[in-house]
Amino acid sequence: MDVWNQLLQGFATAGTPVNLLWALLGCTIGTAIGVLPGIGPATAVAMLLPITLQVEPTGSMIFFAGIYYGAMYGGSTTSILLNTPGEAASMVTAMEGNKMAKNGRAGAALATAAIGSFVAGTIATVVVTIAAPVVAKYAVLLGPPEYFMLMVLAFVTVTAVLGKSALRGVTALFIGLALGLIGIDQITGQARYTMGVPELMDGMEVVLIAVGLFAVAEALHVVLFEGRVVETQNKLTKVHMTKLEWKRSIPAWLRATFIGIPFGTIPAGGSEIPTFLSYATEKKFSKHKEQFGTTGAIEGVAGPEAANNAAITATLIPLLTLGIPTSNTAAILLGAFQNYGIQPGPQLLDTNATLVWALIASLYIGNVMLLVLNLPLVGLWVKLLKVPKAQLYAGILIFATVGVYGMRQSAFDLFLLYAIGVLGLVLRRFDFPAAPVVIGMILGPLAEAQLRNALSIGEGKWSILWERPMSATLLACIVAVIVLPRIVKRLRRG
């Protein structure tokens, strides 16, 4: 039972006063970020990345993990009370949760969302605890051809799922891949695409790109294109559930957890898909179908919230063991690891076991913290919505600017930050997803290195990419992801 011994050591590390404080701070900021519409965990983590670079890696990762799943908890509050999803994954919760609130059942909706998040998050963390070492053990057997194919699969699935069209997703990915090429070529030592600018010789900073694309672009979009919207708030009732509501919620939580976990482990665009799937499943299984879309069905809140949290917790399996991010926040977390000189992958559990197990232990601790923070303090979180947008986004811009300047004390970085911010604004304005840009930039150089290594092994023959069983299987998966949706579309039309 080596895993459980390592987990206990992880609890000893995560349970130190400093790390507990980082976990609490992360959970609190994450919940606040989730409550505030439009910001999201990716923006929050990107904005705080430069500031936490001086912090010890374990504390920093625990802090970011707290923000990550804290934001998912917080998003349900505004979805239910104001019909304003704080996160894209909370859209489904708003459908039934807001109707429950309008019918005087806001308390029950908030309770099932918080407890469902806790149950799903805890089960998913147990899965991460057991699965991560197993995946890492088999991932060591993968060679450069398999890793290259794995990264291509990540590129294909992310661009296919995120955004309104595959073409937009591919365009965003190629922008990221192009940004990743800037700097010194690792093999030839030649400068590539630096345009004679010395600051670009070391390549583009992942932190700078993430802050520009998410934080700066978000603030600019709000200032230029979003007017002030006055929402009507539903009355906040006592946060509790009746015996019947418990009976209806528990099966929904469990079903949704096992829908969410697989989607977290594959590069399929985060937690939006499992929340919709969970909602459809609950609607099908419910004995109270007449409540869906009318007075609000509690299963329609319980399921999507549990699926959401299960999916975002499970994203840590491919992130830690393969170095593959399956959501935009996971991509930024990968950038945070790299900033500390840590490369997630099969060797991570050997080279940085203390950090990994402390991070996994912090998920258990964070889930308990979030349950305590969310149920009694709902009224406080709702008051956050009274912060004027102008001051809120001005604060985000100041944080982003100071943080990026603090990394290298370079004025050039500030010009680059706002140029990337404008690029992010254009992408957002024309419905191009930002996540493939970050994923392309981080995984692009790694994919290039693996392709070169694979071709070296195959003595220059491209057939090395499909001659080995595992790489051939991954190639078949890539083709299936590209071809199958088009076949299904044509069959439906026919």
Side-chain angles (χ1 to χ4, degrees):
M1 298 302 283
D2 193 40
V3 167
W4 303 111
N5 289 332
Q6 288 178 310
L7 183 61
L8 284 173
Q9 288 171 3
F11 271 108
T13 308
T16 60
V18 173
N19 286 339
L20 281 175
L21 196 63
W22 279 119
L24 181 62
L25 188 62
C27 290
T28 309
I29 291 173
T31 305
I33 292 298
V35 167
L36 293 164
I39 298 177
T43 304
V45 173
M47 186 174 68
L48 294 167
L49 260 180
I51 296 163
T52 54
L53 283 177
Q54 307 305 318
V55 177
E56 187 260 334
T58 305
S60 185
M61 290 304 153
I62 287 172
F63 174 61
F64 288 138
I67 293 173
Y68 188 19
Y69 46 80
M72 295 302 172
Y73 270 75
S76 61
T77 304
T78 43
S79 298
I80 291 163
L81 294 176
L82 302 174
N83 201 23
T84 309
E87 249 292 289
S90 300
M91 289 186 296
V92 187
T93 307
M95 288 157 64
E96 296 302 315
N98 190 247
K99 286 185 171 62
M100 284 180 72
K102 283 178 177 172
N103 285 280
R105 293 158 63 218
L110 289 164
T112 196
I115 298 165
S117 296
F118 171 76
V119 170
T122 304
I123 294 172
T125 307
V126 172
V127 172
V128 171
T129 307
I130 297 165
V134 177
V135 175
K137 183 182 170 185
Y138 287 101
V140 177
L141 305 174
L142 303 179
E146 288 83 5
Y147 263 106
F148 175 70
M149 284 300 178
L150 201 58
M151 287 173 189
V152 173
L153 179 62
F155 294 150
V156 169
T157 49
V158 166
T159 51
V161 173
L162 293 174
K164 294 197 174 178
S165 76
L167 181 62
R168 286 188 173 98
V170 170
T171 306
L173 175 69
F174 276 109
I175 292 169
L177 291 172
L179 292 174
L181 289 172
I182 295 169
I184 301 285
D185 183 352
Q186 296 299 313
I187 292 178
T188 64
Q190 296 290 314
R192 302 190 296 189
Y193 311 111
T194 57
M195 297 169 287
V197 179
E199 285 89 348
L200 291 177
M201 297 287 272
D202 291 333
M204 302 276 267
E205 283 282 345
V206 175
V207 174
L208 188 149
I209 300 295
V211 174
L213 278 178
F214 290 95
V216 175
E218 178 67 35
L220 292 176
H221 191 272
V222 168
V223 169
L224 295 172
F225 300 109
E226 291 180 24
R228 186 179 175 83
V229 180
V230 179
E231 296 281 356
T232 55
Q233 188 174 320
N234 292 298
K235 193 169 182 279
L236 183 61
T237 54
K238 195 178 177 186
V239 182
H240 78 101
M241 291 193 289
T242 63
K243 194 181 264 186
L244 177 63
E245 285 166 340
W246 274 95
K247 196 178 172 184
R248 288 171 62 181
S249 293
I250 291 169
W253 294 335
L254 297 175
R255 274 193 293 264
T257 301
F258 293 101
I259 289 171
I261 290 170
F263 275 92
T265 58
I266 58 172
S271 51
E272 288 85 351
I273 297 170
T275 54
F276 277 103
L277 275 179
S278 171
Y279 180 77
T281 305
E282 293 315 316
K283 199 170 180 181
K284 190 177 180 182
F285 280 106
S286 178
K287 292 175 183 174
H288 306 271
K289 288 185 173 67
E290 72 288 348
Q291 291 184 0
F292 280 84
T294 52
T295 57
I298 197 162
E299 300 97 322
V301 179
E305 273 302 300
N308 177 8
N309 278 270
I312 68 119
T313 305
T315 57
L316 289 176
I317 297 174
L319 177 66
L320 296 174
T321 59
L322 300 170
I324 303 284
T326 58
S327 69
N328 51 7
T329 315
I332 295 166
L333 285 174
L334 177 59
F337 273 109
Q338 289 176 342
N339 270 332
Y340 284 106
I342 300 165
Q343 181 57 52
Q347 306 295 336
L348 187 66
L349 269 78
D350 297 325
T351 56
N352 288 89
T354 307
L355 186 151
V356 173
W357 289 106
L359 183 63
I360 292 171
S362 79
L363 300 181
Y364 290 98
I365 296 165
N367 267 312
V368 176
M369 284 181 175
L370 284 163
L371 195 64
V372 173
L373 280 171
N374 273 267
L375 289 175
L377 301 177
V378 165
L380 175 67
W381 299 123
V382 173
K383 284 179 184 170
L384 269 180
L385 293 160
K386 293 179 181 173
V387 176
K389 269 191 174 180
Q391 281 88 320
L392 178 68
Y393 285 96
I396 287 173
L397 279 181
I398 291 165
F399 255 98
T401 306
V402 170
V404 166
Y405 184 74
M407 288 192 313
R408 296 193 297 193
Q409 286 81 46
S410 165
F412 177 79
D413 281 357
L414 293 183
F415 285 111
L416 201 56
L417 172 70
Y418 282 90
I420 297 294
V422 171
L423 170 67
L425 176 69
V426 172
L427 289 175
R428 177 158 179 180
R429 195 70 192 144
F430 292 98
D431 286 324
F432 286 83
V437 178
V438 179
I439 290 169
M441 193 192 157
I442 293 173
L443 291 186
L446 297 174
E448 182 191 11
Q450 297 293 356
L451 177 61
R452 282 172 156 179
N453 291 339
L455 290 174
S456 297
I457 293 166
E459 297 176 347
K461 293 176 186 172
W462 286 86
S463 58
I464 188 72
L465 296 175
W466 55 82
E467 281 174 351
R468 291 156 64 136
M470 189 63 194
S471 57
T473 306
L474 289 167
L475 181 61
C477 291
I478 292 163
V479 172
V481 169
I482 295 168
V483 174
L484 284 178
R486 284 160 180 77
I487 293 171
V488 171
K489 218 179 211 178
R490 285 198 173 175
L491 287 172
R492 278 180 183 169
R493 279 178 190 165

